Amino acid sequence: MPGLPDFDNPPVIETVLGLQFTPLSKFDVPHYGLYWEKIRRSYDRFEVHPPIVSTVDERGSDAPLKGQIFINFPSGNNFRCWFIDESKNNLLQVQRDRFLLNWRKVRGDEQYPHYENIRPKFEEEWVRFCEMLAEQGIGPPEVNQCEVTYVNHIEFDNELTGCSELKRFVASWSGATSGEFLPKVDKVSLNTSYVMGGKNGRLRITLQPVLRSGDGMEILQLDVSATGRPTSSKTPDLLEWLDKGREWVVKGFANFTTQEMHRKWRRKNDR
């Protein structure tokens, strides 16, 4: 897609492409195994985790909480399966109402593969999942929400020494106060939301200091996530929404952060 910001050294450590759909009433424990048989050559290990709670934003709503639906499953089938490839960089997540593909850094030195390489994998696995459902007499999923999420880790250094220097990183942050009583800010958490063009979804950007699990170092975690309802559950329409969501995530990330950080991440000419 032309005109998108591009970086030689982006801070992204994880990406998620995902679909949420009406819970499949006939999907049960054996179907996880049947799907694994289809993908086992590529994803040779699995883990069981609690499910992700499902939410649906009312399409085009300007109110951040209006129209949300919370879906609870029966307790007997209340889990989510991870299917992990040999490198551990690629992860498929499946539950009765969700299908997600994650790319993630594990060692820390992996090169980000870019969306153009992740998208075909997602399409291939989604098609295989739908084929398994059809073979088992389970109707095609009725997708009610698409998701594109990028997780970024920003390390403190000699220039970005802490949250008091956040204006060097966040374009809209000044840290100004109306008086002289407060000292420099110590910790900052931000949670922002934007209605996407055409009211096709919502872009959320959150920022918070966290302790990195690998080394315990305090860093800033910036999550940029686009969610919205596709025009239909057909694969081309799902991919079209994901492309639009990716555009908003990448452009939103660039707009939210400063040109100083863009130079640090070696921003190239927009593609």
Side-chain angles (χ1 to χ4, degrees):
M1 185 179 292
L4 291 185
D6 193 18
F7 300 87
D8 278 333
N9 186 33
V12 60
I13 60 99
E14 185 170 5
T15 65
V16 184
L17 302 183
L19 303 175
Q20 179 180 277
F21 36 88
T22 303
L24 301 168
S25 60
K26 296 181 180 180
F27 192 83
D28 217 322
V29 175
H31 299 110
Y32 292 97
L34 291 170
Y35 177 59
W36 191 30
E37 285 301 314
K38 282 185 171 289
I39 64 173
R40 195 165 183 173
R41 288 186 178 181
S42 301
Y43 298 85
D44 59 350
R45 63 197 72 188
F46 74 92
E47 297 177 6
V48 177
H49 292 268
I52 302 171
V53 176
S54 301
T55 63
V56 179
D57 280 340
E58 181 179 322
R59 187 180 184 188
S61 172
D62 293 335
L65 296 179
K66 182 181 178 182
Q68 286 192 333
I69 303 171
F70 294 83
I71 304 169
N72 295 313
F73 298 136
S75 59
N77 201 1
N78 198 18
F79 64 90
R80 167 175 43 126
C81 270
W82 285 14
F83 302 104
I84 308 166
D85 73 353
E86 184 177 2
S87 71
K88 299 183 181 180
N89 294 125
N90 296 293
L91 160 69
L92 284 168
Q93 301 187 65
V94 178
Q95 62 185 52
R96 290 181 64 197
D97 74 335
R98 287 224 184 196
F99 184 92
L100 305 103
L101 172 65
N102 300 54
W103 175 86
R104 54 189 184 166
K105 284 188 176 183
V106 178
R107 301 186 310 273
D109 60 352
E110 297 94 329
Q111 188 74 21
Y112 169 56
H114 286 288
Y115 176 84
E116 291 81 2
N117 296 304
I118 299 172
R119 181 188 189 268
K121 290 184 179 181
F122 177 85
E123 180 180 5
E124 177 184 6
E125 300 306 339
W126 172 248
V127 169
R128 286 206 282 188
F129 179 68
C130 291
E131 287 175 350
M132 184 277 295
L133 296 179
E135 290 167 1
Q136 298 304 312
I138 301 175
E142 297 179 10
V143 177
N144 52 41
Q145 189 158 274
C146 300
E147 173 188 353
V148 179
T149 297
Y150 282 33
V151 180
N152 303 274
H153 280 180
I154 294 90
E155 296 182 0
F156 295 111
D157 55 23
N158 292 333
E159 296 177 345
L160 185 63
T161 57
C163 288
S164 62
E165 298 295 323
L166 201 61
K167 63 183 178 181
R168 306 178 72 103
F169 167 52
V170 178
S172 61
W173 177 263
S174 70
T177 61
S178 61
E180 299 180 355
F181 173 75
L182 288 175
K184 289 183 178 181
V185 65
D186 179 49
K187 295 286 188 293
V188 174
S189 295
L190 300 176
N191 192 333
T192 61
S193 176
Y194 310 85
V195 176
M196 294 168 57
K199 295 188 176 181
N200 288 322
R202 190 177 296 276
L203 182 75
R204 291 180 174 84
I205 302 178
T206 61
L207 175 73
Q208 59 183 333
V210 299
L211 296 179
R212 189 161 56 191
S213 59
D215 56 11
M217 177 185 293
E218 183 177 347
I219 60 169
L220 290 172
Q221 179 167 308
L222 178 70
D223 295 346
V224 187
S225 182
T227 57
R229 185 183 295 272
T231 55
S232 83
S233 297
K234 296 179 180 179
T235 299
D237 291 333
L238 301 177
L239 295 174
E240 180 181 6
W241 197 100
L242 293 175
D243 289 344
K244 176 61 67 174
R246 178 263 190 136
E247 178 187 5
W248 270 80
V249 165
V250 173
K251 289 183 175 180
F253 169 82
N255 273 204
F256 191 79
T257 54
T258 63
Q259 293 185 7
E260 177 181 349
M261 298 303 291
H262 297 175
R263 290 190 291 271
K264 181 176 180 179
W265 299 323
R266 300 199 298 273
R267 181 172 179 171
K268 301 182 287 187
N269 292 332
D270 293 352
R271 289 181 287 177

